[in-house]
Every structure is written in structure tokens, then in C-alpha cells.
Amino acid sequence: MDILEVKNLKKSYKDTKAVDDVSFDIEEGKIYGILGPNGAGKSTTIKMITGLLKQDEGSVTYEDGQKVTKWSKNIGLVPQDLAVYTELTAEENLNYFAALHGIKGAKKKKKVDETLEFVGLSDVRNKKVSEFSGGMKRRLNIACALVHDPKLIIMDEPTVGIDPQSRNYILERVLDLNKQGISVIYTSHYMEEVEKICDRIIILDKGKVILNDDKENIKNRFLDNQTITVMLEESANEGIKEKLEKIKGVSGIKVEDKKVECTYKVSINPLSDIIECLNTEGNKISNILLTEQDLETVFLSLTGKEQVRRSEERRVGKECRS
């Protein structure tokens, strides 16, 4: 059953189309990854489906045909910018957000306790958020979106600027939420994150959906090609390119002096035949490098852009640590 249906969303700012006819469905109990380069329309789309921004055209409908104004109590939004009060403690922040959702008394105490435990902040519940590390603030940001037991969690770049340990902790919590039956929309710059946790992937570029498919289908469609680079002790023998091209499953050969690059179909896997051919023709192999395709390759081929690399974020993450 679909928990959310987005149809033909459009949003423009002056002469710029931020979101241009975007449509997709969110199935209950699944994790959806929304990817896209900067300016692709990810955050604008999130704002429209949560009711924070009115669309120019199109519709956003939740289960049983409800509009976001009626269904918003079931949404937990984790914004990219931290939405916590730094002069309050972790517990005070959760008490505040629980009260906004009408949770009171013993039920509120129980939910605050459970949520702090879930995000691993129970031992610092009475500590001011201003004293937290970047990773701890991000975890509290998530906790504030969970305290009212939402059916759908929407996370907009929830791991920006934090260290790898905190990043992995958050990803594990997302998977735990999904095991509880909670649906998740997860936007990210990191292919590794999406590949690890998401069931389905939506790629936006220039305000449009350019890919919307199950993760496994994407892998089957786009990631069947792999490349093996073989370094030889001496220049490749004449005619080796033509011989390698005749091997079943080989889709491309590039020969440069002592280097031979073979692109082949993983589903056929002609690796042993490639190596045997090289050896039979008298080429002495000095080294072999296997390059595996990944979702980063798919993204690059579709958008012409690379996602933000981890190396750039590691520096920011270090600056956020206490």
C-alpha cells in the first residue's frame, strides 16, 4: 500500500524551475533514497510534500486520500539544518517537541526515555546541547522527529558534517526504524549510505526525476559491466586485442603498451577466459586490478556530475567533533 503519492509537482522561483513535473509513490514500510546534485530540487520537493512550501502545480496525497494538513501528525521531519535548541538539554528538547504533538504526563516521559535510549543519548540527557559534538546534535535532531511515533520519517541530509562513526550509528538506527514498520524518505549526497539502507532509489536532476527504480533492478540494469586492468611485464603482443574481443561476455578492449583494459559482463563472467587468453599468447602478467562499478558510476552516467566525496566531508566532520 502506498503511504504517499506525489503527482506532477512543479515549483519555480522567478525564471528558475526548481521542481519540474516530479511524480513518485512511497510504499508503506520501505526506505526510499532521493539523490541528486546540488540544485536538483531535493530540498524543495521535501518542503512541498511536508507542507512547508506550496507547490505551483501538482498534488501531494497521503494514505486514504488525506492532504498533508490532515496527515502531518504522522510525519517526522529531520531537516538538513539542525532544529534543536542549544541552550536546552537533550531531555528538555524532547519534552518540548513531545508537547507540541499533544503528548502529556506519563506517556510523554515514557516516549522521551525510549527515544533518548534509541538514539544513544540517555547518558547525556541532562547535558546542554551546546556542549554536544556534531554527531550527538545530529542524533538529537533525529530524536526530535521520532518522539511522537510517526508513520513516515523524512530525512534531509541527516549525516552532513559528522564523523564516520556517528554516520554509521545513524544508518543503523534508520534500518532499525524500518524494521519497526516505519516508512523512510532519505536524501543524501553519499552513495554508500543509499546503497546500504534503501530499497528504492529516486534520482533528481534539474528538477526532474531521471531514475526511479528498486535498488536491485538498478544494479541489474546498470552494473553488469565491470572492468579488469591487466599490467604486463612487456608490451602486449600484436593481435591480442582482436583475440580478446572474440571472448563471450567481453564488451570492450583497450590496449596501451603494457596495459590491457577489458570491460566484460558480470552475468557471463569471462575472467578466466581473459587471463587464459593473455597467458596463451605469451603475455607475462605483472599485476591485475579489478574495478567494480557502483551506484556512483550510475549517478555520474545519468547526471554528468559526481556526488560529494567523503574526503571533503571528513574535514568538516573533524571540525564538528567535541
Side-chain angles (χ1 to χ4, degrees), residues 286-297:
S286 63
N287 194 20
I288 296 175
L289 175 64
L290 183 64
T291 304
E292 293 187 1
Q293 305 267 37
D294 56 17
L295 288 178
E296 180 77 33
T297 311

Side-chain angles (χ1 to χ4, degrees), residues 2 66 76 125 138 150 154 171 174 204 270:
D2 291 336
Q66 295 184 62
R125 64 189 303 148
R138 285 286 169 189
I154 301 175
L171 294 179
V174 174
L204 297 178

Side-chain angles (χ1 to χ4, degrees), residues 35-52:
L35 295 167
N38 289 331
K42 301 188 302 296
S43 292
T44 300
T45 300
I46 294 299
K47 288 177 182 177
M48 287 190 287
I49 66 179
T50 54
L52 296 176

Side-chain angles (χ1 to χ4, degrees), residues 191-198 215 219 223 294-295:
M191 289 295 176
E192 311 95 296
E193 294 184 356
V194 171
E195 191 160 7
K196 179 176 180 179
I197 68 173
C198 294
K215 180 173 63 179
K219 288 182 177 181
L223 303 183
D294 56 17
L295 288 178

Side-chain angles (χ1 to χ4, degrees), residues 228 241 244-245 252-256 259-263:
I228 182 174
K241 182 175 184 294
L244 288 169
E245 286 174 337
I253 298 292
K254 185 177 181 181
V255 179
E256 293 180 355
K259 182 169 73 173
V260 179
E261 287 185 356
C262 301
T263 303

Side-chain angles (χ1 to χ4, degrees), residues 79-283:
Q80 184 173 343
D81 296 325
L82 292 170
V84 295
Y85 295 95
T86 56
E87 292 309 306
L88 298 180
T89 65
E91 183 174 357
E92 288 169 343
N93 267 278
L94 286 187
N95 278 326
Y96 173 73
F97 282 99
L100 287 179
H101 289 280
I103 305 173
K104 301 176 182 178
K107 182 180 178 181
K108 181 172 73 172
K109 184 181 185 309
K110 183 174 183 292
K111 280 307 304 172
V112 168
D113 289 346
E114 288 176 350
T115 308
L116 285 170
E117 178 67 27
F118 181 76
V119 297
L121 295 176
S122 292
D123 57 339
V124 291
R125 64 189 303 148
N126 296 316
K127 190 175 182 179
K128 282 189 176 182
V129 177
S130 58
E131 301 172 31
F132 280 11
S133 67
M136 292 165 67
K137 288 176 182 176
R138 285 286 169 189
R139 281 188 269 157
L140 181 61
N141 205 40
I142 293 170
C144 292
L146 295 177
V147 73
H148 63 292
D149 281 334
K151 293 182 178 181
L152 173 66
I153 298 290
I154 301 175
M155 297 180 159
D156 192 6
E157 306 279 0
T159 63
V160 169
I162 61 174
D163 59 276
Q165 185 177 2
S166 295
R167 187 190 308 277
N168 289 333
Y169 187 91
I170 288 173
L171 294 179
E172 291 300 326
R173 296 287 74 75
V174 174
L175 290 171
D176 287 342
L177 288 170
N178 188 238
K179 289 175 183 177
Q180 297 171 23
I182 297 174
S183 307
V184 180
I185 297 176
Y186 191 98
T187 78
S188 177
H189 274 311
Y190 300 117
M191 289 295 176
E192 311 95 296
E193 294 184 356
V194 171
E195 191 160 7
K196 179 176 180 179
I197 68 173
C198 294
D199 301 303
R200 193 172 182 92
I201 296 170
I202 299 168
I203 296 181
L204 297 178
D205 190 32
K206 298 177 182 177
K208 292 181 176 291
V209 175
I210 60 173
L211 181 67
N212 181 358
D213 206 346
D214 288 340
K215 180 173 63 179
E216 294 307 314
N217 287 343
I218 292 172
K219 288 182 177 181
N220 291 336
R221 285 171 57 192
F222 293 98
L223 303 183
D224 192 28
N225 285 321
Q226 304 281 9
T227 300
I228 182 174
T229 301
V230 181
M231 300 303 300
L232 307 174
E233 293 182 3
E234 299 177 355
S235 297
N237 293 343
E238 186 177 348
I240 191 63
K241 182 175 184 294
E242 290 74 16
K243 288 183 171 63
L244 288 169
E245 286 174 337
K246 293 179 181 179
I247 297 174
K248 183 179 179 181
V250 170
S251 54
I253 298 292
K254 185 177 181 181
V255 179
E256 293 180 355
D257 193 25
K258 299 179 182 179
K259 182 169 73 173
V260 179
E261 287 185 356
C262 301
T263 303
Y264 63 93
K265 298 289 184 183
V266 177
S267 54
I268 298 176
N269 193 17
L271 270 177
S272 59
D273 292 334
I274 292 170
I275 301 302
E276 183 180 354
C277 178
L278 287 167
N279 286 329
T280 301
E281 294 300 316
N283 297 280

